Amino acid sequence: MPPKLNVHNFPRPPLLEKTPRHIQIKWNNHLIADTKDAYWVLETTHPPTYYLPPSSILVSLARSPHSSYCEWKGTATYWNITNPDNNSEVVRNRIWSYTKPTKGFTPIRDYLSFYAGPWDCYVDGEKVEPQPGDFYGGWVTSDIEGPIKGGPGTFGW
């Protein structure tokens, strides 16, 4: 069992580092991403956010016109994905990347991060839970502990 990681011990500004963990994303029993070559971002009060290399994505993505700005990583580009079982179902803006990340985050240029749903996300075979709320994209696993930002009453943390 991996050691516990307390989100209140994570740094601010956030830390970017390679992780040896096996990341998989499955949607309706289709494997849509698979890698052991990911990065994670660790930030105070947040569970890890994983960034996967483009080569690990096993389905086509379509660029969205939507964007957002992160004070640490820069401007995010969003992506849309079509359900492998239903071509009429398109999920929009639940995947993002940084095409021109800030200096400290250049290793994740064009790497992709997924919200933990509507697909199932796994870290070393464990199905993750999404970070509370619908703004942040962290993945909660059994080794994560401590109060997590995103739920009611945590906006000002």
Side-chain angles (χ1 to χ4, degrees):
M1 184 168 173
K4 293 286 187 181
L5 302 170
N6 189 306
V7 297
H8 289 266
N9 293 332
F10 291 169
R12 188 167 174 87
L15 171 70
L16 171 69
E17 64 182 12
K18 277 286 210 184
T19 178
R21 295 179 168 201
H22 186 192
I23 308 301
Q24 292 183 305
I25 302 172
K26 298 176 183 177
W27 195 12
N28 296 328
N29 296 315
H30 295 276
L31 186 64
I32 63 172
D34 189 8
T35 189
K36 292 181 181 177
D37 190 32
Y39 284 88
W40 66 2
V41 173
L42 306 177
E43 181 178 358
T44 306
T45 71
H46 296 268
T49 304
Y50 293 88
Y51 288 85
L52 290 63
S55 61
S56 71
I57 310 305
L58 306 174
V59 294
S60 296
L61 302 177
R63 190 176 181 146
S64 167
H66 181 69
S67 66
S68 65
Y69 183 77
C70 170
E71 66 182 309
W72 308 113
K73 295 178 282 301
T75 301
T77 299
Y78 286 80
W79 300 89
N80 302 331
I81 184 172
T82 301
N83 183 332
D85 282 343
N86 180 356
N87 287 341
S88 66
E89 180 186 356
V90 177
V91 174
R92 301 178 190 287
N93 305 323
R94 302 290 293 171
I95 304 165
W96 72 96
S97 64
Y98 295 92
T99 57
K100 295 179 182 174
T102 59
K103 184 178 178 183
F105 292 88
T106 55
I108 60 168
R109 176 180 287 123
D110 297 328
Y111 275 52
L112 296 131
S113 191
F114 287 67
Y115 281 95
W119 34 76
D120 296 322
C121 302
Y122 297 86
V123 175
D124 291 334
E126 178 186 350
K127 185 177 175 186
V128 309
E129 293 295 326
Q131 181 170 1
D134 198 41
F135 184 74
Y136 303 106
W139 293 8
V140 181
T141 51
S142 60
D143 59 341
I144 300 298
E145 64 181 12
I148 294 172
K149 185 175 183 173
T154 65
F155 179 74
W157 288 9

